[in-house]
């Protein structure tokens, strides 16, 4: 368990940001649900619960989720009942337990780029912008490739569109982290493919979407391409070889839904 | 640091470290129905209600709970719904060692306020409440009756 020396609850994001950047051994506190696994000693815990970042709104084809919204807020939001045919709600409601979803925040999940996050795998193929206090707006595609930012995540913005999306996940039991998660989105001839729980963070494929865009529909060719370009590793849930196999199976299932 | 928690409707003053968990703080207050189990957010025996929603007190900090309303089973003793689910569990013999009992009661109590329509849905919301001795069947019979849902 981690140790913390001091704790503050700033009233604004500006104040929180100043504290965060001026103290190199400070930590932003979202839900705190994964922090307890750390063994660090943290000088200053900065709790964002009074910075008005708990909201979900929909306007002009954009859905904004404040970073302090919990996974349950997303699951219970009327906005996500209909958006993307209820897929976001479905994916979030299958994450771990009800108790955990009531505390874990969207900001904590996205900012930390949690490898096992199913939600992040899905977000990676949607039109999502990640909004930081100081850095401003970054597309999720760029954010997933960047080194960690010393900045405060304010919200994520999802653009509603006609993407055809399939989300696939394989877990040993319902109540577990995934062995692998995979999302495919299609808009006409444009494809996006993300693979998460590799066990690393969700990664967007580059070559395989091109193959599909160029008209290749041979399942073996596209599956081999995806398995070749995505790096997998071993952990206690599965070997890299097993993950490669599961990736091929999930990818075929996803393609059958979007082609 | 000094904090004030609202637990079962009462203001409680405590001296805690910033990394003291809510579980540790509640047990410091003598609320032993809040159990320490896996300490990895898996078993659910540390469940309490925060603003009427179940959360895991083993991975929540006491300092985070300031300004929120915390409820444990001790605070629901005179509640009609709580009494009903407790009675149902007893009648079905759904509580053996009793270790997970308070957390299960709290989660089910909070689910009553949701529009749960099926047994499958109940099971989905209860995956985070592990029981090592009942085998779940007797619990589910009691909960189904309480929630008034069919198969």
């Amino acid at each position: 368990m981690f140790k913390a020396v001091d704790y503050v609850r700033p009233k604004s994001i500006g104040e929180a940001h100043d504290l965060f950047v001026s103290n190199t051994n400070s930590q932003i506190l979202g839900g705190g649900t994964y922090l307890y696994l750390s063994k660090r000693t943290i000088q200053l815990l900065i709790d964002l619960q009074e910075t008005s970042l708990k909201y979900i709104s929909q306007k002009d084809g954009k859905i904004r989720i404040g970073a302090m919204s919990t996974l349950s807020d997303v699951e219970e939001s009327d906005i996500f009942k209909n958006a993307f045919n209820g897929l976001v709600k479905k994916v979030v409601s299958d994450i771990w337990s009800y108790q955990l979803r009531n505390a874990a925040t969207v900001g904590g999940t996205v900012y930390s780029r949690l490898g096992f996050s199913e939600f992040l795998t899905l977000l990676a193929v949607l039109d999502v912008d990640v909004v930081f206090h100081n850095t401003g707006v970054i597309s999720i595609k760029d954010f997933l490739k960047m080194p960690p930012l010393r900045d405060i995540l304010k919200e994520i913005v999802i653009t509603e569109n006609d993407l055809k999306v399939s989300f696939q996940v394989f877990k040993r039991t319902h109540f577990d982290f995934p062995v692998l998660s995979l999302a495919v989105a299609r808009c006409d001839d444009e494809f996006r493919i993300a693979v998460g729980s590799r066990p690393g963070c969700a990664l967007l494929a580059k070559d395989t979407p091109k193959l599909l865009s160029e008209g290749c529909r041979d399942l073996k060719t596209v599956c081999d391409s995806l398995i070749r370009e995505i790096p997998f590793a071993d952990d206690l849930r599965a070997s890299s070889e097993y993950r490669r196999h599961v990736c091929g199976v999930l990818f075929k299932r996803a393609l059958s839904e979007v082609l | 640091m000094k904090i004030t928690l609202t637990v079962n409707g009462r203001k409680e003053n405590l001296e805690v470290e910033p990394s003291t968990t809510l579980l540790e703080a509640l047990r410091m207050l003598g609320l032993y129905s809040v159990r320490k189990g896996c300490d990895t957010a898996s078993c659910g025996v540390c469940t309490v209600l925060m603003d009427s929603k179940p959360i895991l007190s083993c991975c929540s900090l006491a300092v985070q709970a300031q300004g929120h309303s915390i409820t444990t089973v001790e605070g629901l003793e005179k509640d009609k719904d709580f009494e009903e689910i407790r009675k149902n569990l007893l009648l079905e013999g759904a509580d053996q060692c009793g270790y997970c009992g308070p957390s299960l009661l709290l989660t089910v109590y909070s689910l009553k306020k949701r529009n749960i329509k099926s047994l499958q849905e109940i099971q989905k919301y209860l995956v985070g409440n592990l029981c090592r001795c009942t085998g779940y069947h007797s619990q589910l019979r009691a909960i189904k009756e309480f929630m008034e849902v069919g198969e």
Side-chain angles (χ1 to χ4, degrees):
Chain A
M1 175 86 180
F2 75 99
K3 290 272 172 211
V5 178
D6 213 348
Y7 166 91
V8 284
R9 259 194 212 186
K11 303 282 181 204
S12 71
I13 304 163
E15 190 189 337
H17 182 263
D18 290 347
L19 288 164
F20 188 44
V21 294
S22 63
N23 188 332
T24 52
N25 190 15
S26 58
Q27 172 79 44
I28 297 295
L29 187 60
T33 50
Y34 299 110
L35 188 62
Y36 75 98
L37 294 172
S38 160
K39 294 195 187 323
R40 287 169 54 200
T41 295
I42 298 161
Q43 186 62 37
L44 182 64
L45 271 180
I46 304 165
D47 188 342
L48 297 184
Q49 66 174 291
E50 289 181 12
T51 54
S52 308
L53 291 179
K54 192 173 163 69
Y55 57 84
I56 299 176
S57 67
Q58 186 179 35
K59 197 180 170 190
D60 302 330
K62 294 196 185 288
I63 301 171
R64 294 177 181 276
I65 311 176
M68 288 299 283
S69 305
T70 62
L71 297 181
S72 285
D73 291 336
V74 174
E75 178 184 348
E76 290 161 10
S77 158
D78 283 339
I79 292 169
F80 285 108
K81 254 185 203 164
N82 302 317
F84 300 100
N85 293 319
L87 184 63
V88 175
K89 178 185 163 74
K90 163 84 177 67
V91 169
V92 170
S93 69
D94 280 340
I95 293 172
W96 206 247
S97 66
Y98 181 40
Q99 289 95 321
L100 191 92
R101 296 195 300 276
N102 281 332
T105 59
V106 170
T109 304
V110 174
Y111 181 86
S112 312
R113 287 179 263 210
L114 299 171
F116 50 78
S117 171
E118 294 125 282
F119 189 34
L120 204 52
T121 304
L122 176 62
L123 290 176
V125 299
L126 304 180
D127 285 312
V128 173
D129 284 327
V130 183
V131 184
F132 282 90
H133 173 71
N134 196 38
T135 315
V137 181
I138 309 169
S139 72
I140 192 130
K141 190 179 158 191
D142 292 335
F143 172 71
L144 290 174
K145 290 186 290 192
M146 290 169 80
L149 279 173
R150 195 81 187 153
D151 200 348
I152 293 183
L153 175 63
K154 290 201 297 187
E155 63 177 8
I156 66 163
V157 183
I158 307 174
T159 302
E160 290 185 272
N161 49 29
D162 295 330
L163 283 174
K164 206 169 175 183
V165 188
S166 172
F167 178 82
Q168 305 289 329
V169 63
F170 180 71
K171 300 176 185 179
R172 289 181 182 275
T173 68
H174 176 84
F175 183 36
D176 196 2
F177 291 135
V179 166
L180 201 86
S181 61
L182 181 144
V184 176
R186 180 190 185 184
C187 183
D188 298 325
D189 285 335
E190 190 206 332
F191 290 83
R192 293 172 208 165
I193 305 160
V195 184
S197 299
R198 307 170 290 106
C201 170
L203 191 70
L204 280 158
K206 286 181 197 164
D207 304 334
T208 314
K210 273 188 206 158
L211 262 179
L212 286 163
S213 298
E214 287 161 9
C216 178
R217 295 293 181 267
D218 180 64
L219 285 182
K220 186 172 183 326
T221 308
V222 289
C223 280
D224 286 351
S225 164
L226 184 65
I227 289 164
R228 213 170 29 242
E229 72 167 304
I230 298 289
F232 298 96
D234 302 343
D235 71 355
L236 61 88
R237 280 186 180 75
S239 65
S240 53
E241 196 184 345
Y242 186 64
R243 285 197 160 92
R244 237 172 255 124
H245 178 75
V246 171
C247 183
V249 175
L250 297 187
F251 188 40
K252 280 178 197 165
R253 285 182 193 166
L255 285 178
S256 71
E257 288 183 12
V258 301
L259 288 178
Chain B
M1 59 190 288
K2 283 181 181 163
I3 62 167
T4 303
L5 295 181
T6 307
V7 185
N8 298 329
R10 286 178 50 178
K11 300 265 185 208
E12 304 278 5
N13 298 314
L14 288 115
E15 179 88 38
V16 298
E17 297 293 323
S19 43
T20 301
T21 63
L22 181 58
L23 167 69
E24 290 163 336
L26 292 171
R27 290 184 68 88
M28 277 156 71
L29 292 171
L31 296 164
Y32 299 122
S33 71
V34 190
R35 307 271 157 77
K36 185 176 168 72
C38 66
D39 259 351
T40 59
S42 301
C43 73
V45 296
C46 65
T47 299
V48 297
L49 302 183
M50 183 186 275
D51 302 331
S52 303
K53 283 189 158 190
I55 59 150
L56 299 167
S57 61
C58 77
C59 60
S60 303
L61 300 177
V63 286
Q64 284 177 290
Q66 289 182 99
H68 299 276
S69 170
I70 305 298
T71 308
T72 67
V73 291
E74 288 88 345
L76 292 173
E77 279 175 353
K78 289 175 186 162
D79 186 280
K80 207 178 133 203
D81 277 343
F82 181 76
E83 184 50 41
E84 191 187 334
I85 178 60
R86 186 162 66 169
K87 199 172 125 196
N88 284 9
L89 287 166
L90 279 172
L91 287 174
E92 290 290 349
D95 192 44
Q96 289 183 24
C97 79
Y99 203 71
C100 71
S103 60
L104 179 73
L105 283 161
L106 288 170
T107 310
V108 175
Y109 176 82
S110 75
L111 288 180
K112 182 77 172 179
K113 290 168 181 61
R114 297 176 66 94
N115 190 20
I116 302 281
K117 291 180 189 131
S118 68
L119 179 62
Q120 200 185 12
E121 224 180 331
I122 293 174
Q123 287 170 318
K124 187 174 167 177
Y125 280 107
L126 291 178
V127 293
N129 287 85
L130 302 187
C131 172
R132 291 166 177 85
C133 46
T134 66
Y136 302 109
H137 290 283
S138 48
Q139 292 181 346
L140 283 173
R141 280 197 302 273
I143 295 163
K144 257 170 61 184
E145 196 179 319
F146 172 67
M147 307 282 275
E148 296 166 2
V149 299
E151 290 298 322

